[in-house]
Amino acid sequence: MSNNILSVNSLTKSFGGLEAVNVENFQINSNEITSLIGPNGAGKTTFFDLITRFQDADSGSIFFKNKNVSKTNSYMLARLGMVRTFQLTRVFDRMTVYENMQFAGSSIKNEGFLNSLFNKTSLRKDEGNLIEKIDDTLKMLNLYEMRNAYARELSGGQKKLLELGRSLMKDPEILLLDEPLAGVNPKLADNILEIITNLNAKGINILMVEHNINAVMKISDRVVVMAEGKIISDGKPDFVRSDKKVIEAYLGSSDE
Amino acid sequence: MNKYITASLLLLGCIAYIFLSNDTGSARVFVNLITFAGVYGLAAIGINVHFGWTGLLNFGHAAFMGIGAYTTVLLIPHSLGREGVIISTGLPLPIAIIFGLIASALLGLLLGLPTLRLRGDYLAIVTIAAAEIFRLLVRDFENLTGGVYGIIQFSDSLQVYRPNFVDVISTKYDVSSAQLWVAILTWISIVLVIIILSRLQKSPWGRALRAVREDEDAVRALGKNAVWLKLQSFMLGAAIGGLSGIFLVFNYGTVQASTFVPVLTFYIWAALILGGVGSLGGPALGAIIFWVIIAGTDSISRLLFESPDGQQLAGVRFVIVGLLIMLFMIFRPSGILGKKEELLLDVK
Ligand SMILES: Nc1ncnc2c1ncn2[C@@H]1O[C@H](COP(=O)(O)OP(=O)(O)OP(=O)(O)O)[C@@H](O)[C@H]1O
Ligand SMILES: [Mg+2]
């Protein structure tokens, strides 16, 4: 068995004449923070969508934990341990922060119609057991004070945190974060980075898309650069930072 | 003002209105109104599960009501309209009703399977079309459904269960005992359905439906099968619609192709909007108010026209109900009992 948790071969996706994604080969090694960077429209979000099965690829295959998941439903993939967030934050607006977390954490079994209707004691116990985990997560994310607010009342940055917190309720093995720092103030950004680093230390693999280059270089074990659908560079932060192709396509010379 | 006080005052006002505006036979009018209100209220509760809980747009509720009603009536002793073919054997009513509810839920499954994977507007279109197809099928398959002549003489299956006290009351107040019995059963059903739904609403299942209503993609990203949740919601609401359809035809004592027309769905939506989308009691309250308004518009018609015919009555009804919905949308879009914070204007 290889030690990669996620492996992608010849994954392509076109929109009309535009080839949004064309990735020959891509692996995530266990227990790393990998960042995916690249110019706007490079295909990063589409690549995320393909991996998480939110969109069907035109061709290619995806292996998660050495299992072929190229045709697996997105929600099944999430159950297997691959959980994502969205570039445009998606919280359940008209549910409270707490309910957002409860929904994420509750088991499929308890969400069954009959189990819910007859409100078994086991169900109540399960729901009770969630409380502690929810509280801990909310406290870690500094959302505890807001737990009874409707999610739509949160600020943009707080919504990002809630989305992250919700994902954590799933105990993911790999977390795909699409621009976790976008629209977040520097202090909160530092918080989120620290949280991400801590999660990784607990054994959660991280794959994140992020435009904040300083942050990316600071916390990533590995940086992957996409441009026009293809991976053009892949390696340690220092390697990528000085890669000519990357400077040309994305970083520019502002780095000097 | 507290919305529950508003609701109670409105209810009291409605009842007072009935008794003041009909000195002769007001009890009769009251029972008639409360029966229709119950039927529409139950139907609106079904749509509320779809729309209020899950964000599903169902514009073909008449079809779910209809298939439940036809299935039930065809399974009990009845006779077919034109030739008067009498079918004197059949299932006991409770079992027939269960089949009726299953038929409604299955129609929900049938319509939901292909459409619930797609965007929300597809469901709206498909339900409109399905209701129309249902009506046409009922009209054209006359051998089975009685077509425009309909089905009659099925009421006994329900009325044999009528307890004595119903007759005592109806004699005392000079109201139809058969209708009073339907009214009582309908409102008992509403209470039972609301009790069941209130359990479900607080449960993980109900919470999951709300999450689907808010954002399906996020639901999927959290490992939940959004399509399956929507299907379940759709089937449950359809079955509740079926139950209301059954009571509707027992109230009429007949059923024909014109019983389940598109305007029925429109009126039920009106009741739901008046009462408050998303709230448990809202739909039933909305249905009462809706029927009082209907009674009121009919008296307005009588002022406008010497002796209004059905078309004139319907015209005035349309105008006033339409105006009222507009006014509610502008001044109280959450309805009487709805929560402002959970106001629903966008659709899945
Ligand atoms: N549904 C779609 N239909 C047509 N074209 C699309 C669609 N989704 C994405 N694209 C195109 O595919 C390309 C890649 O888009 P994608 O969103 O993956 O970029 P990105 O790298 O995430 O960019 P950003 O950094 O701005 O988020 C873009 O050119 C975009 O216009
Ligand atoms: Mg993107």
Side-chain angles (χ1 to χ4, degrees), chain A residues 44-46 87 178-179 209 211:
Chain A
K44 304 179 297 293
T45 297
T46 309
Q87 181 166 0
D178 200 345
E179 304 199 8
V209 170
H211 284 296

Side-chain angles (χ1 to χ4, degrees), chain B residues 82-94:
Chain B
R82 178 151 64 169
E83 276 104 30
V85 190
I86 295 169
I87 292 137
S88 55
T89 56
L91 296 175
L93 182 65

Side-chain angles (χ1 to χ4, degrees), chain B residues 55 86 93 103 107 139 190 195 207 236 256 258 278-280 338:
Chain B
I86 295 169
L93 182 65
L107 181 64
R139 198 191 63 188
I190 288 183
I195 290 172
R207 190 174 58 214
L236 176 66
Q256 55 277 110
S258 59
S279 73
L280 276 173

Side-chain angles (χ1 to χ4, degrees), chain A residues 205-254:
Chain A
N205 299 278
I206 307 280
L207 175 62
M208 70 173 188
V209 170
E210 185 48 60
H211 284 296
N212 181 337
I213 291 302
N214 290 332
V216 165
M217 295 302 171
K218 195 165 94 191
I219 70 163
S220 307
D221 298 302
R222 171 185 168 204
V223 177
V224 178
V225 189
M226 261 182 108
E228 294 174 11
K230 298 192 177 61
I231 293 178
I232 58 164
S233 183
D234 184 343
K236 295 240 176 293
D238 286 337
F239 166 79
V240 167
R241 198 201 291 271
S242 51
D243 189 335
K244 262 220 181 69
K245 276 183 289 181
V246 181
I247 296 173
E248 237 166 63
Y250 185 49
L251 295 178
S253 47
S254 63

Side-chain angles (χ1 to χ4, degrees), chain B residues 78-87 149-150 152-153:
Chain B
H78 62 272
S79 70
L80 284 187
R82 178 151 64 169
E83 276 104 30
V85 190
I86 295 169
I87 292 137
Y149 304 98
I152 52 173
Q153 287 171 343

Side-chain angles (χ1 to χ4, degrees), chain A residues 54 74-75 78-79 83-84 86 90 92-95 99 102-104 106 108 110-113 116-119 123 127 150 152 166-167 170, chain B residues 196 199-200 203-208 210-211 213-215 217-225 229 232 236 339-346:
Chain A
F54 271 76
S74 55
Y75 68 89
R79 285 183 204 177
V83 179
R84 71 170 298 181
F86 296 88
R90 291 172 176 271
F92 304 124
D93 276 335
R94 285 164 295 187
M95 290 163 68
E99 287 172 321
Q102 277 183 308
F103 169 70
S106 74
I108 311 296
N110 286 338
E111 271 162 13
F113 180 77
S116 276
L117 182 58
F118 296 111
N119 191 13
L123 180 152
E127 290 273 305
Y150 278 94
R152 68 162 175 206
R166 238 175 28 189
S167 310
K170 302 302 297 173
Chain B
I196 293 172
R199 276 185 90 112
L200 284 170
S203 76
W205 186 79
R207 190 174 58 214
R210 269 186 299 146
R213 179 189 79 183
E214 296 302 304
D215 195 317
D217 282 339
V219 166
R220 265 181 220 118
L222 294 169
K224 321 285 177 117
N225 186 346
L229 286 164
Q232 293 176 61
L236 176 66
K339 274 197 204 168
K340 248 210 309 296
E341 306 77 44
E342 296 214 1
L343 189 60
L344 278 155
L345 290 173
D346 53 341

